[in-house]
Amino acid sequence: MIVQMTVILKLEMPQDSLILEKSQNWSSQKMDHILICCVCLGDNSEDADEIIQCDNCGITVHEGCYGVDGESDSIMSSASENSTEPWFCDACKCGVSPSCELCPNQDGIFKETDAGRWVHIVCALYVPGVAFGDIDKLRPVTLTEMNYSKYGAKECSFCEDPRFARTGVCISCDAGMCRAYFHVTCAQKEGLLSEAAAEEDIADPFFAYCKQHADRLDRKWKRKNYLALQSYCKMSLQEREKQLSPEAQARINARLQQYRAKAELARSTRPQAWVPREKLPRPLTSSASAIRKLMRKAELMGISTDIFPVDNSDTSSSVDGRRKHKQPALTADFVNYYFERNMRMIQIQENMAEQKNIKDKLENEQEKLHVEYNKLCESLEELQNLNGKLRSEGQGIWALLGRITGQKLNIPAILRAPKERKPSKKEGGTQKTSILPAVLYSCGICKKNHDQHLLLLCDTCKLHYHLGCLDPPLTRMPRKTKNSYWQCSECDQAGSSDMEADMAMETLPDGTKRSRRQIKEPVKFVPQDMPPEPKKIPIRNTRTRGRKRSFIPEEEKHEERIPRERRQRQSVLQKKPKAEDLRTECATCKGTGDNENLVRCDECRLCYHFGCLDPPLKKSPKQTGYGWICQECDSSSSKSLL
């Protein structure tokens, strides 16, 4: 039905459909002929300031935006309906494909500088410090009045290739306190450039805003015009070649050759541009054309052009007052920095070699001294034994003389046993006798006694180990506290295979004692479906320091208790099989759990969730090689000590 109705409507109104099609074709033809200025991105063309197009490259620009003089450079197309006078931009007249000195982009319309370089006319208008020799014609462009420190000083926030982000000169957003920087042509692509009205009398009528501060509607239509301009410039050359006749194309080429010959003559007779007396340093990496040439050379040589981004942070000042890095450039500062860095590296290498030789000599002397020290210790021990024998013989002779005389004779001081001197109370007990050990401690793994300051004592086997000899090696001394101690990996494995270790007493340097247990590995979780074990009844409900809570099955509850000394001997001599470790209940919240979220106290053997501890934890507080007790056992042990 819908198809039939549409057919009927087309038959009834054929004239309206024809008018609509004609209007669409007319509008599409009109849109194809709309020209956009590549400087201001405007599409208004008037007789006084019309948009003209280069007959060679097809670029379009306002006469006022490019500084075109109608009397000398071209004839307005409005003067005659069939005006055929060709017009060319400055780059086409000189026959070059220029590269801008102020930005890395290659599209757009250019102006020549007084030194023979090329810049975008839009870059010359918006970059501060750029001057023009003739304001009306906007040529030649002068770059010497601009400070060269601006080249590569800021990074463009719109450049897609990071290698060109610091090339040329970046301008800042004109909004107050805004720190956005970008190239002029990059901002033009995003529609961020704006110009004050002709009625406003402003010294610098050109403004640039970042995406955050720019007008959204203004930015939208400028971005649209820029994309339309780019597509038109690409299509215009092919279409114009098809539309122009061979005679017209030959005439344009002849006219272009005349302009290029004239430009070549003017370049040879042009006076030399003024340059500063002192050479101005400029980083090589700030030139987009130089980077393109180096990249092209690398491709021809087969070298990868993927380079890492250079850290351009301000490293001029350092802790010692010397510059650590300077951006590479053909300047006197960089050459001095390079030579200074090389000399410093040579000095550092020589110093390292000298220190290494000194270290080797000291190590050899240390080994010799260790050998001599061990010999002296052995001879000292022999002399002490001989002295003890002689003292005992002298005391016997002296006692015999006393019995002969029948009097009690005082033993002379030389025959008395030497006593160690203790500091008195007046001295405050600060003086301590430093007695060297008879024999240096040796490592239990490498069996060497060097690096005594790196030896670590195991609290279980009482052997010393080097930090680097352990498996895995340690980088620093482990921390020992009241609630934790350290043991070697062998003792840790032995303790995990034994049954529940009995408690031992360890004396701390301050005279206090604390309980210590061997560390046991966590046992895998056993599911609830396992057959229940015989019921166990606790002997005592109170927690006492120095004794853990023990359980006895109902069948053995009437048997006599074994004394503690006997139990210790039995545990050492006879190893019983270890019972299965079931961690299924938290002592605080009575909730179920397993080895992944429960931790067992080595004192009371109760389990706690990580989150039920005070303070709550995200992971197990028990570390490999250390013991752990809960807060209640810690408080009970501290009270018993008091």
Side-chain angles (χ1 to χ4, degrees), residues 487-498:
Q487 60 184 8
C488 59
S489 58
E490 296 181 359
C491 297
D492 188 12
Q493 295 175 0
S496 62
S497 61
D498 296 341

Side-chain angles (χ1 to χ4, degrees), residues 310-318 322-328 334 337 341 344:
V310 181
D311 185 10
N312 294 284
S313 57
D314 187 11
T315 57
S316 58
S317 60
S318 59
R322 296 177 298 182
R323 290 191 174 184
K324 295 183 179 180
H325 173 73
K326 190 173 181 62
Q327 193 172 3
F334 177 74
Y337 160 76
R341 184 175 66 92
R344 194 180 306 156

Side-chain angles (χ1 to χ4, degrees), residues 213-418:
H213 298 104
D215 187 10
R216 185 173 61 86
L217 298 177
D218 190 18
R219 177 191 169 197
K220 185 176 180 180
W221 74 262
K222 288 182 179 179
R223 174 69 175 167
K224 182 179 179 181
N225 285 359
Y226 179 82
L227 296 176
L229 175 64
Q230 295 299 318
S231 62
Y232 176 76
C233 290
K234 294 179 181 179
M235 298 295 295
S236 60
L237 292 176
Q238 300 177 0
E239 294 178 355
R240 190 167 58 255
E241 291 178 356
K242 295 179 181 179
Q243 294 176 1
L244 291 177
S245 60
E247 294 80 6
Q249 187 66 34
R251 184 176 61 85
I252 291 174
N253 293 336
R255 188 64 172 171
L256 182 60
Q257 293 298 329
Q258 294 179 3
Y259 276 117
R260 290 181 178 178
K262 184 178 179 181
E264 186 68 24
L265 180 61
R267 187 182 296 108
S268 59
T269 59
R270 182 174 54 190
Q272 188 176 3
W274 177 87
V275 293
R277 295 181 180 178
E278 183 180 359
K279 293 184 178 180
L280 301 176
R282 176 183 172 185
L284 185 63
T285 54
S286 65
S287 176
S289 59
I291 291 181
R292 289 192 184 94
K293 293 177 182 177
L294 293 175
M295 291 173 60
R296 179 58 178 167
K297 182 178 180 181
E299 291 178 359
L300 295 175
M301 296 176 64
I303 302 174
S304 177
T305 57
D306 297 333
I307 61 175
F308 295 97
V310 181
D311 185 10
N312 294 284
S313 57
D314 187 11
T315 57
S316 58
S317 60
S318 59
V319 178
D320 54 357
R322 296 177 298 182
R323 290 191 174 184
K324 295 183 179 180
H325 173 73
K326 190 173 181 62
Q327 193 172 3
L330 299 177
T331 60
D333 294 340
F334 177 74
V335 172
N336 294 333
Y337 160 76
Y338 183 78
F339 283 116
E340 181 183 0
R341 184 175 66 92
N342 288 346
M343 294 297 297
R344 194 180 306 156
M345 290 178 62
I346 294 173
Q347 293 177 0
I348 292 173
Q349 291 175 357
E350 293 176 353
N351 190 13
M352 288 178 61
E354 183 180 357
Q355 295 295 331
K356 187 177 180 181
N357 295 332
I358 295 174
K359 176 178 174 293
D360 296 338
K361 292 180 181 178
L362 292 177
E363 286 181 351
N364 296 332
E365 293 179 1
Q366 184 182 9
E367 292 180 359
K368 294 179 181 178
L369 291 176
H370 279 322
V371 174
E372 295 178 359
Y373 179 76
N374 293 334
K375 292 181 180 179
L376 291 176
C377 289
E378 294 176 358
S379 61
L380 177 62
E381 187 177 0
E382 294 176 357
L383 292 175
Q384 287 178 351
N385 296 332
L386 180 60
N387 189 17
K389 292 179 181 179
L390 295 176
R391 186 181 293 108
S392 60
E393 292 177 359
Q395 290 177 358
I397 295 173
W398 195 262
L400 180 61
L401 291 175
R403 286 195 299 270
I404 293 174
T405 57
Q407 298 179 358
K408 187 178 181 181
L409 302 177
N410 295 327
I411 299 176
I414 194 172
L415 297 179
R416 295 176 185 175

Side-chain angles (χ1 to χ4, degrees), residues 352-513:
M352 288 178 61
E354 183 180 357
Q355 295 295 331
K356 187 177 180 181
N357 295 332
I358 295 174
K359 176 178 174 293
D360 296 338
K361 292 180 181 178
L362 292 177
E363 286 181 351
N364 296 332
E365 293 179 1
Q366 184 182 9
E367 292 180 359
K368 294 179 181 178
L369 291 176
H370 279 322
V371 174
E372 295 178 359
Y373 179 76
N374 293 334
K375 292 181 180 179
L376 291 176
C377 289
E378 294 176 358
S379 61
L380 177 62
E381 187 177 0
E382 294 176 357
L383 292 175
Q384 287 178 351
N385 296 332
L386 180 60
N387 189 17
K389 292 179 181 179
L390 295 176
R391 186 181 293 108
S392 60
E393 292 177 359
Q395 290 177 358
I397 295 173
W398 195 262
L400 180 61
L401 291 175
R403 286 195 299 270
I404 293 174
T405 57
Q407 298 179 358
K408 187 178 181 181
L409 302 177
N410 295 327
I411 299 176
I414 194 172
L415 297 179
R416 295 176 185 175
K419 297 182 180 179
E420 297 181 0
R421 179 179 177 274
K422 297 182 179 180
S424 62
K425 294 183 178 179
K426 294 182 180 181
E427 295 176 353
T430 55
Q431 296 181 359
K432 296 183 180 180
T433 57
S434 59
I435 301 176
L436 296 176
V439 181
L440 295 177
Y441 297 111
S442 59
C443 177
I445 298 177
C446 66
K447 307 302 180 182
K448 295 182 180 180
N449 55 5
H450 64 278
D451 296 335
Q452 292 286 312
H453 64 287
L454 298 179
L455 286 175
L456 177 61
L457 176 63
C458 176
D459 293 329
T460 304
C461 61
K462 301 299 181 181
L463 294 178
H464 293 79
Y465 299 94
H466 284 119
L467 297 179
C469 296
L470 295 173
D471 186 17
L474 301 179
T475 57
R476 59 181 180 179
M477 290 289 181
R479 184 178 179 182
K480 299 180 181 181
T481 61
K482 182 179 65 174
N483 298 332
S484 63
Y485 58 94
W486 182 85
Q487 60 184 8
C488 59
S489 58
E490 296 181 359
C491 297
D492 188 12
Q493 295 175 0
S496 62
S497 61
D498 296 341
M499 70 172 200
E500 295 181 354
D502 292 331
M503 181 173 50
M505 304 300 295
E506 181 179 1
T507 304
L508 297 177
D510 56 356
T512 60
K513 295 183 178 181

Side-chain angles (χ1 to χ4, degrees), residues 10-224:
K10 287 184 178 180
L11 293 174
E12 291 180 353
M13 295 183 298
Q15 296 180 356
D16 296 338
S17 60
L18 293 175
I19 294 172
L20 181 61
E21 292 178 359
K22 289 182 179 179
S23 63
Q24 290 178 355
N25 294 333
W26 177 80
S27 61
S28 62
Q29 293 176 3
K30 184 177 180 181
M31 289 296 295
D32 292 340
H33 290 84
I34 291 179
L35 301 180
I36 300 174
C37 177
C38 65
V39 177
C40 64
L41 298 181
D43 53 2
N44 296 327
S45 181
E46 301 176 355
D47 293 342
D49 187 14
E50 68 174 348
I51 298 178
I52 55 179
Q53 184 178 12
C54 178
D55 290 303
N56 184 46
C57 61
I59 196 73
T60 57
V61 66
H62 278 116
E63 292 181 348
C65 294
Y66 197 64
V68 177
D69 188 2
E71 296 181 357
S72 59
D73 291 342
S74 68
I75 299 175
M76 297 183 183
S77 59
S78 59
S80 174
E81 295 181 356
N82 297 324
S83 178
T84 57
E85 179 67 20
W87 177 83
F88 306 99
C89 61
D90 291 354
C92 294
K93 289 179 180 179
C94 296
V96 295
S97 297
S99 178
C100 184
E101 294 292 320
L102 301 177
C103 73
N105 298 311
Q106 293 180 307
D107 298 332
I109 193 164
F110 294 82
K111 281 285 186 178
E112 189 177 7
T113 64
D114 53 358
R117 300 290 183 176
W118 294 87
V119 294
H120 287 108
I121 185 63
V122 65
C123 292
L125 291 173
Y126 279 86
V127 173
V130 179
F132 298 90
D134 190 349
I135 300 178
D136 296 333
K137 296 184 179 181
L138 299 179
R139 61 181 181 189
V141 182
T142 303
L143 301 178
T144 54
E145 297 183 7
M146 182 179 59
N147 190 2
Y148 268 32
S149 62
K150 293 183 179 180
Y151 284 97
K154 300 297 180 180
E155 184 176 359
C156 179
S157 57
F158 297 146
C159 282
E160 298 179 356
D161 194 344
R163 293 172 291 190
F164 295 96
R166 280 190 175 267
T167 57
V169 179
C170 292
I171 61 175
S172 61
C173 177
D174 288 327
M177 304 298 290
C178 184
R179 297 183 178 181
Y181 294 91
F182 37 78
H183 293 119
V184 176
T185 51
C186 294
Q188 188 184 32
K189 290 181 181 179
E190 302 295 334
L192 303 177
L193 302 181
S194 59
E195 185 177 353
E199 296 80 9
E200 300 180 7
D201 189 8
I202 302 176
D204 189 6
F206 302 101
F207 303 94
Y209 297 98
C210 62
K211 293 181 179 180
Q212 184 178 359
H213 298 104
D215 187 10
R216 185 173 61 86
L217 298 177
D218 190 18
R219 177 191 169 197
K220 185 176 180 180
W221 74 262
K222 288 182 179 179
R223 174 69 175 167
K224 182 179 179 181

Side-chain angles (χ1 to χ4, degrees), residues 499-500 523 533 536 576-582:
M499 70 172 200
E500 295 181 354
V523 181
E533 296 182 355
K536 298 180 181 180
K576 298 181 180 180
K578 186 176 179 181
E580 294 182 354
D581 190 2
L582 297 177

